[in-house]
Amino acid sequence: MRVMAQLAMVMNLDKCIGCHTCSVTCKQAWTNRPGVEYVWFNNVETRPGQGYPRRYEDQERWRGGWRLNRRGRLTLTAGGRLRKLLTIFSNPVMPTIDDYYEPWTYDYDTLITAPVGEDFPVARPKSLLSGKPMAIEWSANWDDDLGGAPELGHLDPMVAQVRERTSEQVLMEYEKSFMMYLPRICEHCLNPSCVASCPSGAMYKRSEDGIVLVDQDRCRGWRMCVTGCPYKKVYFNHRTGKAEKCTFCYPRVEVGLPTVCSETCVGRLRYIGLVLYDADRVTAAASVPDETDLYAAQLDLMLDPHDPEVIAGARREGISDDWIEAAQRSPIHALAKTYRVALPLHPEYRTMPMVWYVPPLSPVSEALRDTGFDGEDVDNLFGAIETLRIPVAYLASLFSAGDTTVVDGVLRRLAAMRSYMRRVTLGEELDEGIAAAVGMTGDQLVELYRLLAIAKYEDRYVIPSAYAEQGHQLEELACSLDVDGGPGMYGSGPFGEASGRPVPVSVETFHALRQRQTSSGFADPESRAAKVNLLNWDGRGTPPGMFPPAAEPSEPPGPAGGSPEASSDAPSGEEQR
Amino acid sequence: MSTLDIALWGVLPYLVAVLFVGGLIWRWRYDQFGWTTRSSQLYESALLRFGSPVFHFGILVVLVGHIIGLLVPKSWTETLGMSQETYHVQALVLGGVAGVCTLAGIVLLVYRRRTRGPVFMATTWNDKIMYLVLAAAIVAGLAVTLLGAGATGEGHDYRTTVSPWFRSLFVLRPDVEAMTHADTAFHVHVLFGLTLFAIWPFTRLVHAFSAPIGYLFRPYIVYRRRRPALSSPASRAPRPGWGADRRQRLRR
């Protein structure tokens, strides 16, 4: 037994209202740069729907994840090492930009520069890739809220699967359709096929917390990780030629803060916590022959953090006591393993994903309510779960490799919790029979209710911070002004976008301060390195470059002011050493 | 043997070598982040799918051809009983096919680059100059393949002129005399080749030096520690920020 710790997430889909706040804040934090305009580390899909990139779940086409070969051994679906190297010059199964969407901006300039005329000027959309006017035809959530579902719904690969399995049509007419939202981030898998696909060895799993990252300095842009990930959550930055992916907001979780997507979730539906697992058994668990056994195998990998043997094993591997304690209080372990209400997304890809989902009961209870029955009554709910085969089969195609008994069990536990708690709220006589019907006790249902419905901040996020003595190393993560053309961008080297090394913030600040303190004038606005740094601007005067130039030329700078000497002192990459 | 000959075939190769090796070392240390293929497959896949493999596999065979032609002395193949004619036929067939593939590949790739909007937008001046030199070297190379094999009358045996000169460079006694006897076409090809090597470290061509052979031998899943163990006395004080342990070793 080799105990390892993994940061994992649970999302309670019943609470997701599809507001896309997580996507927007994530984009602002991580992918608001040129080259990743089309990239959403976090995206929210309406299901049934094609997802983003379109039809990413169709592994017959995209060949992501793992499969068992004829000898029953785990191999990459897209082919092994030799095949990867032979197809390295042109990856045959890489999605192109059209499978995501062509990013665009609007021609805002026309709005203010158009000559006076009869018509109002309009800002036409233009492509961010070619700069040419374009027609917007798709985006990351074009089929939001079942938009276009009657025409496009059949393109959802899971709809096709459900149709095959149950020989029933998933009803797409608006009034008969059911709908749910599926927020997705990188799964930070225990058996990541993207890492296995990387020819350069630039992708890695952090041994401390299991976060899967791309080493930007070692990535050589071979693009195999994009194919390898069955969730299509590794993206190619077309400006820098490097792979980028969800980082689980490691600079935040290292200091004990939840990820941006979790922190800003208005539905408070995300949970973050530690999971202890047995690293030695991962390959065996991912290699079980029957796809429907994968969920059980994955649960089996998760170790009980209260077991003395596990604790001893964790200490042997150098996992500290506060991490073990965090694992014991982990909401992920509670929801996934103890109460078994959280399920992995597509366990059949054999990557052992570590973002778990509490499947939504709402499609079932809403359908029940629409028929006039009491949507909170446990017998009605149980009956409905049995009768409403389409939503259940669809959920099973997402979360349990098509095994409806797993989803059925989870929905029953959620239904039992609702009915039981209604009696508590209404002050009625408690019915232990409800709990017993799903193999739980009343206390457990109340505990589950506290976790899912009350969901206090400190219960949702149990994140042990990185060690205090390492805290100083967490500084200088990057300059937030390092955008194209931004004041922090003078780190750009001679080989295009962002080559060379980033200039640490402290170096930048040091030079800005020294320059200001040793010159009587203000910064030369032409020198990028001497741009006004608002962080340490003390309010003396209005430095040039801060506001657009006035109509008449201002005073020429003094002999010592804004001297080229000072600007030639601009921090270069070399000084960082 | 004029001064120009000495400058071109006795001095220039060494300047290029310094630029090539020194440039590569410098860029490897300075610019790990810029060291990439800068693939444009995301923008366009249909043309790349044919153009790129044809070009790359072609140029790999061309590389093997150069190694055989330049490094294996004529006397060795003669000892093996290979006549001048046989050698030329195999050189023409192998080199011709590979050269034509490479040329067809680069023509397709340049065409794609020019006509596909996003790909053209992503093309830098650096790329354009590199393509020009690369294409010129390939065209000149294809021309001397035909000349060398005697496709136009009397064949020129470069294995008595260019090859001895090339080998003599490595023992630091450049045989300028031998090189002066080569055809002008060979001179042109060699000069384009030297230019290519001179600009190599400063273009995207550097990705050739990170061919991921190690992938064949490493375990599939890579684990890495967040920080070097603090208790380990051997570890240097870690750099702040995103300087992971691995990066330090690469840089220092």
Side-chain angles (χ1 to χ4, degrees):
Chain A
M1 182 167 72
R2 186 158 59 97
V3 183
M4 283 181 91
Q6 167 80 37
L7 264 180
M9 187 183 281
V10 166
M11 298 190 211
N12 183 1
L13 296 184
D14 252 336
K15 287 183 168 184
C16 184
I17 60 170
C19 66
H20 300 275
T21 307
C22 47
S23 306
V24 171
T25 50
C26 171
K27 188 145 188 64
Q28 284 297 333
W30 290 104
T31 57
N32 58 351
R33 293 164 288 133
V36 281
E37 307 93 344
Y38 75 102
V39 170
W40 298 81
F41 288 167
N42 182 107
N43 74 295
V44 183
E45 303 165 358
T46 304
R47 306 308 300 264
Q50 297 186 57
Y52 157 82
R54 267 181 266 191
R55 291 174 59 77
Y56 69 93
E57 285 155 311
D58 182 2
Q59 303 308 341
E60 295 287 310
R61 172 155 180 217
W62 299 120
R63 311 192 65 71
W66 305 86
R67 64 178 174 83
L68 294 184
N69 65 11
R70 259 166 278 141
R71 286 171 295 144
R73 290 196 39 188
L74 206 57
T75 44
L76 288 167
T77 311
R81 301 167 204 268
L82 208 55
R83 197 190 163 88
K84 285 244 145 58
L85 291 196
L86 286 175
T87 57
I88 205 161
F89 301 128
S90 165
N91 184 345
V93 279
M94 182 182 158
T96 55
I97 196 73
D98 296 328
D99 294 301
Y100 300 90
Y101 66 97
E102 187 165 350
W104 70 88
T105 182
Y106 293 93
D107 186 14
Y108 295 111
D109 204 40
T110 310
L111 295 182
I112 49 172
T113 58
V116 178
E118 287 287 296
D119 307 309
F120 278 108
V122 289
R124 286 205 297 163
K126 63 176 187 187
S127 166
L128 278 170
L129 298 183
S130 63
K132 302 214 164 69
M134 63 174 274
I136 304 169
E137 279 162 357
W138 199 259
S139 77
N141 61 334
W142 200 250
D143 49 1
D144 209 20
D145 289 345
L146 294 183
E151 293 87 44
L152 304 171
H154 66 280
L155 290 172
D156 179 345
M158 293 302 110
V159 167
Q161 239 181 58
V162 171
R163 198 180 297 149
E164 260 170 45
R165 286 210 179 102
T166 64
S167 69
E168 280 181 59
Q169 297 280 334
V170 176
L171 299 178
M172 279 300 173
E173 298 94 61
Y174 181 72
E175 63 273 33
K176 290 185 202 161
S177 55
F178 69 96
M179 179 179 98
M180 56 181 270
Y181 299 106
L182 184 71
R184 294 199 306 125
I185 62 168
C186 166
E187 302 282 337
H188 296 279
C189 306
L190 296 185
N191 188 31
S193 50
C194 56
V195 173
S197 305
C198 175
S200 317
M203 292 192 75
Y204 62 99
K205 198 166 171 61
R206 292 215 301 199
S207 45
E208 289 90 351
D209 50 19
I211 296 177
V212 177
L213 293 172
V214 184
D215 184 337
Q216 293 288 305
D217 270 357
R218 294 192 73 202
C219 174
R220 302 285 175 241
W222 301 120
R223 320 177 289 294
M224 292 298 170
C225 50
V226 181
T227 300
C229 175
Y231 304 95
K232 291 292 167 280
K233 276 293 171 190
V234 187
Y235 302 90
F236 188 74
N237 181 326
H238 58 86
R239 285 285 288 273
T240 63
K242 306 258 168 170
E244 292 189 20
K245 67 178 287 300
C246 161
T247 63
F248 212 87
C249 286
Y250 72 88
R252 288 175 61 90
V253 297
E254 277 176 3
V255 293
L257 293 170
T259 63
V260 167
C261 55
S262 309
E263 180 82 271
T264 58
C265 176
V266 298
R268 306 180 183 185
L269 57 92
R270 300 196 187 213
Y271 299 76
I272 297 175
L274 278 184
V275 162
L276 298 182
Y277 70 100
D278 185 356
D280 282 342
R281 287 191 289 126
V282 171
T283 307
S287 314
V288 294
D290 191 349
E291 283 184 353
T292 52
D293 292 337
L294 281 162
Y295 164 60
Q298 190 170 346
L299 270 192
D300 190 45
L301 279 181
M302 293 167 69
L303 302 168
D304 178 6
H306 293 281
D307 182 348
E309 213 175 297
V310 172
I311 294 175
R315 286 195 180 129
R316 225 176 12 251
E317 298 296 328
I319 298 173
S320 71
D321 282 355
D322 55 338
W323 279 57
I324 296 171
E325 198 251 23
Q328 289 169 347
R329 293 192 294 120
S330 166
I332 313 304
H333 191 266
L335 292 171
K337 178 107 182 189
T338 315
Y339 302 125
R340 311 219 166 181
V341 291
L343 300 172
L345 180 64
H346 291 304
E348 69 269 25
Y349 298 158
R350 296 180 184 275
T351 60
M352 305 271 126
M354 273 293 136
V355 173
W356 301 69
Y357 293 90
V358 179
L361 187 62
S362 309
V364 176
S365 58
E366 268 159 36
L368 197 59
R369 200 191 51 217
D370 291 346
T371 56
F373 285 97
D374 178 0
E376 305 285 321
D377 182 83
V378 75
D379 291 325
N380 285 349
L381 275 172
F382 283 180
I385 292 167
E386 249 161 52
T387 329
L388 292 171
R389 292 175 53 207
I390 296 300
V392 174
Y394 187 81
L395 289 175
S397 72
L398 288 178
F399 300 119
S400 59
D403 184 1
T404 49
T405 54
V406 173
V407 172
D408 198 87
V410 173
L411 293 181
R412 276 165 184 272
R413 281 188 282 281
L414 294 174
M417 181 190 76
R418 276 193 199 199
S419 300
Y420 188 86
M421 287 314 297
R422 184 168 75 159
R423 283 167 174 271
V424 173
T425 313
L426 297 181
E428 291 175 7
E429 194 189 332
L430 296 185
D431 184 359
E432 283 297 318
I434 294 178
V438 292
M440 291 169 82
T441 66
D443 287 345
Q444 279 185 314
L445 285 182
V446 173
E447 196 52 43
L448 184 59
Y449 160 80
R450 287 191 57 80
L451 202 50
L452 287 180
I454 308 291
K456 288 279 187 202
Y457 190 90
E458 58 272 22
D459 292 334
R460 273 181 287 139
Y461 309 126
V462 183
I463 307 166
S465 55
Y467 295 123
E469 62 263 36
Q470 291 182 353
H472 64 281
Q473 295 166 20
L474 302 177
E475 292 167 7
E476 300 293 2
L477 286 159
C479 177
S480 61
L481 305 176
D482 274 350
V483 292
D484 194 22
M489 200 52 203
Y490 44 80
S492 187
F495 307 112
E497 177 83 6
S499 65
R501 297 185 207 162
V503 179
V505 185
S506 60
V507 173
E508 202 177 298
T509 309
F510 170 78
H511 283 280
L513 273 176
R514 188 181 64 173
Q515 200 224 7
R516 206 192 70 226
Q517 286 163 355
T518 54
S519 69
S520 56
F522 295 111
D524 171 17
E526 292 308 310
S527 160
R528 296 187 112 185
K531 283 214 171 148
V532 181
N533 182 344
L534 289 177
L535 283 177
N536 50 35
W537 176 52
D538 56 6
R540 285 196 303 160
T542 48
M546 192 165 177
F547 299 105
E552 51 192 344
S554 56
E555 267 184 56
S563 65
E565 209 181 324
S567 52
S568 71
D569 274 347
S572 70
E574 293 304 302
E575 290 179 48
Q576 194 189 332
R577 284 188 214 166
Chain B
M1 204 162 67
S2 66
T3 323
L4 184 66
D5 283 333
I6 295 173
L8 285 183
W9 319 121
V11 179
L12 187 64
Y14 292 107
L15 293 180
V16 169
V18 168
L19 207 55
F20 180 66
V21 176
L24 279 176
I25 293 172
W26 169 76
R27 183 145 183 214
W28 179 260
R29 291 175 58 113
Y30 170 74
D31 190 30
Q32 280 290 316
F33 186 63
W35 196 291
T36 148
T37 58
R38 289 236 332 278
S39 162
S40 57
Q41 190 178 359
L42 187 71
Y43 303 133
E44 200 280 339
S45 204
L47 287 175
L48 185 87
R49 194 139 174 217
F50 292 100
S52 180
V54 166
F55 169 77
H56 281 95
F57 284 119
I59 206 149
L60 284 178
V61 176
V62 167
L63 172 73
V64 172
H66 276 78
I67 290 173
I68 296 174
L70 290 174
L71 292 185
V72 177
K74 194 177 181 182
S75 53
W76 293 14
T77 48
E78 274 171 355
T79 321
L80 287 174
M82 194 185 247
S83 72
Q84 180 73 0
E85 285 70 36
T86 338
Y87 184 86
H88 274 168
V89 166
Q90 66 92 18
L92 180 66
V93 171
L94 198 73
V97 170
V100 167
C101 280
T102 314
L103 188 64
I106 198 169
V107 165
L108 194 60
L109 289 177
V110 171
Y111 168 77
R112 165 179 177 273
R113 214 154 250 287
R114 186 63 196 84
T115 56
R116 299 298 182 263
V119 190
F120 187 56
M121 281 272 284
T123 308
T124 63
W125 269 105
N126 186 312
D127 292 341
K128 288 173 191 168
I129 293 166
M130 183 275 290
Y131 271 114
L132 200 66
V133 176
L134 185 59
I138 292 171
V139 171
L142 208 52
V144 298
T145 306
L146 297 178
L147 279 181
T152 53
E154 182 73 7
H156 179 87
D157 190 5
Y158 58 85
R159 294 201 298 161
T160 57
T161 56
V162 184
S163 303
W165 165 76
F166 183 76
R167 289 193 295 271
S168 71
L169 289 175
F170 290 91
V171 292
L172 303 182
R173 294 180 61 184
D175 191 352
V176 180
E177 185 70 42
M179 191 56 182
T180 52
H181 293 308
D183 267 9
T184 321
F186 282 91
H187 288 166
V188 171
H189 175 58
V190 168
L191 284 178
F192 277 130
L194 288 175
T195 317
L196 188 64
F197 278 101
I199 65 168
W200 193 301
F202 314 103
T203 64
R204 64 203 292 188
L205 291 180
V206 289
H207 74 262
F209 287 94
S210 47
I213 307 299
Y215 183 52
L216 294 172
F217 309 104
R218 76 164 164 85
Y220 266 142
I221 309 294
V222 178
Y223 292 95
R224 226 195 269 179
R225 292 199 72 78
R226 189 164 60 86
R227 312 258 175 247
L230 285 175
S231 53
S232 150
S235 67
R236 283 156 34 91
R239 262 178 41 182
W242 38 4
D245 45 340
R246 188 93 205 189
R247 206 171 121 131
Q248 273 171 16
R249 251 181 287 134
L250 283 173
R251 286 274 163 76
R252 275 284 137 202

